[in-house]
């Protein structure tokens, strides 16, 4: 079966750095997405990786290793507004998205 | 800012009622999706459409139906609501760009008593 694993919850301090990991086993791979979802709101797109390596976008970076079935989202200079759930999703061989359950990130002052 | 809208945002209804959740987008996207999401759980695809008059069922078994008569409109209908249908329903769309980024509506939170 297809599976996306990410930690259920993480806690970090304002101003610090946090890394959220995602491992996947899917039938084929056509890209990996990270979305941010604040409580009670819709998910919003953060990043897309299809090749191995690091993609940097401001305070957020996303890394992919296809051979290891592994990705991480790195958040720097954490702000209180970064408290949200972070969803990892993989596009499989049929170009359908397989979603992880999300990692709830709690930022403390 | 994404131009995709869902109504109603919140709905509480009794068992056996028929309901339609509306979804409209003004981006001219061909591909539209309905997801179901329970708190702390992954999104489950229940229906999708790749264009007018095209609809497919997703991975999650669902007693709902959809229609796609116009590009911008993708309503979801439950003929007879049950308490097991209580959930958050998210509509999304995407264009033909390389990343395949999804744009989500704000969701419809349904409670069936």
């Amino acid at each position: 079966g297809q599976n996306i694993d990410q930690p259920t919850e993480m806690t970090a301090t304002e101003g610090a750095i946090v890394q959220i990991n995602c491992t996947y086993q899917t039938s084929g791979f056509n890209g990996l997405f990270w979305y941010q979802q604040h409580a009670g709101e819709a998910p919003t797109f953060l990043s897309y990786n299809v090749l191995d390596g690091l993609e940097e976008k401001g305070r957020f970076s996303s890394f992919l290793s296809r051979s290891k079935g592994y990705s991480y989202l790195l958040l720097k200079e954490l702000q209180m507004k970064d408290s949200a759930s972070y969803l990892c999703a993989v596009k499989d061989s049929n170009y359908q998205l397989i979603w992880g359950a999300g990692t709830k990130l709690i930022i403390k002052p | 800012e994404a131009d995709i809208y869902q109504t109603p945002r919140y709905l509480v209804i009794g068992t056996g009622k028929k309901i339609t959740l509306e979804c409209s987008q003004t981006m001219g996207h061909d591909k539209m999706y309905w997801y179901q999401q329970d708190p702390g759980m992954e999104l489950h695809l229940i229906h999708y459409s790749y264009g007018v008059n095209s609809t497919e069922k997703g991975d999650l078994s669902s007693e709902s139906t959809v229609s796609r008569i116009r590009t911008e409109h993708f309503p979801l209908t439950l003929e007879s609501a049950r308490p097991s249908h209580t959930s958050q329903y998210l509509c999304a769309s995407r264009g033909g760009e390389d990343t395949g980024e999804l744009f989500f509506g704000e969701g419809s939170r349904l409670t069936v008593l």
Side-chain angles (χ1 to χ4, degrees):
Chain A
Q2 308 206 86
N3 196 50
I4 309 278
D5 284 316
Q6 39 180 143
T8 304
E9 187 174 297
M10 299 181 71
T11 302
T13 305
E14 189 177 16
I17 298 172
V18 71
Q19 177 175 310
I20 302 173
N21 295 326
C22 170
T23 58
Y24 62 89
Q25 291 118 25
T26 56
S27 56
F29 178 86
N30 281 297
L32 184 143
F33 295 81
W34 284 96
Y35 282 79
Q36 180 189 60
Q37 186 177 25
H38 285 101
E41 297 182 12
T44 54
F45 172 79
L46 286 178
S47 69
Y48 172 70
N49 293 70
V50 65
L51 299 175
D52 290 350
L54 188 69
E55 295 277 345
E56 296 186 78
K57 194 187 290 186
R59 292 189 299 116
F60 293 6
S61 303
S62 56
F63 172 83
L64 174 67
S65 169
R66 287 172 296 170
S67 62
K68 295 181 179 175
Y70 167 70
S71 172
Y72 67 73
L73 180 70
L74 191 71
L75 292 75
K76 302 176 186 175
E77 300 168 19
L78 286 169
Q79 302 174 9
M80 297 303 292
K81 67 178 182 180
D82 298 330
S83 291
S85 286
Y86 292 85
L87 313 179
C88 175
V90 172
K91 198 187 296 183
D92 69 10
S93 56
N94 294 321
Y95 293 89
Q96 296 291 359
L97 278 178
I98 311 301
W99 294 83
T103 298
K104 183 178 180 181
L105 178 62
I106 299 167
I107 309 296
K108 295 186 174 179
Chain B
E1 192 170 305
D3 296 314
I4 179 164
Y5 309 100
Q6 290 185 240
T7 58
R9 290 289 313 279
Y10 303 92
L11 181 63
V12 180
I13 60 168
T15 297
K17 299 290 186 185
K18 176 181 178 179
I19 60 153
T20 296
L21 304 180
E22 302 286 349
C23 177
S24 294
Q25 50 94 6
T26 58
M27 296 173 281
H29 287 170
D30 286 326
K31 300 177 180 67
M32 295 189 73
Y33 306 82
W34 275 105
Y35 286 94
Q36 187 173 337
Q37 185 184 32
D38 292 317
M41 302 294 288
E42 61 265 45
L43 278 74
H44 289 286
L45 181 65
I46 47 178
H47 292 283
Y48 61 100
S49 167
Y50 284 167
V52 171
N53 294 325
S54 149
T55 62
E56 301 286 344
K57 289 196 172 186
D59 300 326
L60 184 66
S61 173
S62 172
E63 291 144 348
S64 57
T65 58
V66 291
S67 63
R68 189 87 183 277
I69 298 171
R70 302 196 316 266
T71 298
E72 60 270 23
H73 194 214
F74 190 41
L76 180 136
T77 298
L78 277 168
E79 290 293 332
S80 179
R82 294 208 305 269
S84 60
H85 294 137
T86 294
S87 189
Q88 164 104 313
Y89 293 85
L90 290 165
C91 180
S93 74
R94 70 179 177 93
E97 65 299 323
D98 11 328
T99 67
E101 172 189 350
L102 284 175
F103 295 90
F104 284 88
E106 298 206 328
S108 293
R109 182 165 295 283
L110 173 65
T111 302
V112 184
L113 303 175

